[in-house]
């Protein structure tokens, strides 16, 4: 038997992404955003209400970064999701984050989080709260790369959000090969 939850934004996994942007005075801000989805080969959509300081920053400057939250920085990642930049202007620093200027967009990278997408806003819809952006670059610290130069998620333990129970989980072990394991059913 199944339990029905109704129309809810419940999907698994929901990556914990930290949005980073600059305000009008070049002060970095960060917020936790779990409602993020890829929409095309180089587009990403976020559901962010217009009252967020980050949304104001992004609409003004058009650029932001999305860093992947990890287990080592779980407390800081959660903190930037429960405190508003409208009320705590230095929450980026209070979280213990340090900025590195992106080479590709007018936004800060978070030095502590080893993987980030660098994005340019395409559109923002105030009614749906959907921010659509172009991914112009993805970067990763060498410490999380495998021997082939790709990202190894086990080297930095990305976290995911459980929207039903309000828990964070870290990613587990590799269990299969994409585009390979299903071939046995051919």
């Amino acid at each position: 038997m199944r339990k029905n939850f109704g129309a809810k934004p419940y999907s698994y996994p929901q990556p914990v992404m930290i949005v980073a942007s600059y305000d009008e005075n070049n002060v970095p801000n960060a917020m936790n955003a779990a409602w993020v989805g890829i929409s095309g080969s180089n587009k990403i959509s976020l559901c962010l209400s217009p009252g967020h300081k980050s949304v104001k920053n992004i609409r003004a400057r058009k650029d932001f970064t999305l860093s992947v939250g990890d287990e080592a920085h779980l407390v800081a990642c959660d903190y930037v999701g429960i405190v508003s930049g409208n009320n705590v202007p230095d929450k980026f620093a209070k979280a213990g984050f340090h900025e590195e200027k992106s080479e590709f967009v007018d936004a800060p990278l978070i030095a502590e989080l080893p993987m980030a997408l660098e994005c340019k806003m395409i559109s923002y819809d105030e009614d749906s709260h959907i921010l659509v952006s172009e991914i112009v670059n993805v970067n990763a610290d060498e410490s999380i790369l495998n021997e082939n130069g790709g990202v190894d998620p086990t080297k930095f333990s990305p976290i995911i959000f459980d929207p039903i129970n309000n828990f964070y989980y870290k990613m587990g072990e590799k269990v299969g090969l994409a585009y390979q394991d299903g071939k046995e059913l051919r």
Side-chain angles (χ1 to χ4, degrees), residues 8 22 29 31 77-78 81 103 109 114 117 119 125 148 172 179:
K8 303 280 185 189
Y22 286 123
N29 185 61
M31 73 169 283
C77 291
D78 190 56
E103 292 180 48
L109 291 164
L117 290 75
C119 304
D125 184 301
N148 298 321
Y179 310 108

Side-chain angles (χ1 to χ4, degrees), residues 3-10:
K3 177 180 178 178
N4 294 315
F5 290 95
K8 303 280 185 189
Y10 294 166

Side-chain angles (χ1 to χ4, degrees), residues 21-97:
S21 60
Y22 286 123
D23 72 8
E24 65 279 359
N25 298 312
N26 293 321
V27 174
N29 185 61
M31 73 169 283
N32 184 321
W35 294 352
V36 176
I38 299 297
S39 48
S41 62
N42 68 338
K43 305 284 186 298
I44 194 158
S45 298
L46 295 83
C47 184
L48 303 173
S49 59
H52 288 294
K53 175 72 172 166
S54 293
V55 172
K56 295 171 190 172
N57 292 350
I58 294 166
R59 292 180 77 184
R61 299 200 58 160
K62 309 299 184 206
D63 292 351
F64 64 98
T65 61
L66 276 174
S67 294
V68 179
D70 65 4
E71 180 183 18
H73 302 96
L74 185 145
V75 171
C77 291
D78 190 56
Y79 172 77
V80 298
I82 60 176
V83 174
S84 172
N86 292 315
N87 302 323
V88 182
D90 61 344
K91 79 173 186 173
F92 191 97
K94 283 188 174 184
F97 289 150

Side-chain angles (χ1 to χ4, degrees), residues 114-150:
M115 183 176 176
L117 290 75
E118 297 165 274
C119 304
K120 290 190 169 291
M121 183 181 88
I122 294 171
S123 64
Y124 181 74
D125 184 301
E126 284 208 32
D127 293 329
S128 67
H129 303 168
I130 300 296
L131 171 69
V132 178
S133 301
E134 176 187 10
I135 302 166
V136 297
N137 186 51
V138 176
N139 68 64
D141 189 85
E142 290 181 2
S143 67
I144 65 167
L145 301 181
N146 62 26
E147 59 279 353
N148 298 321

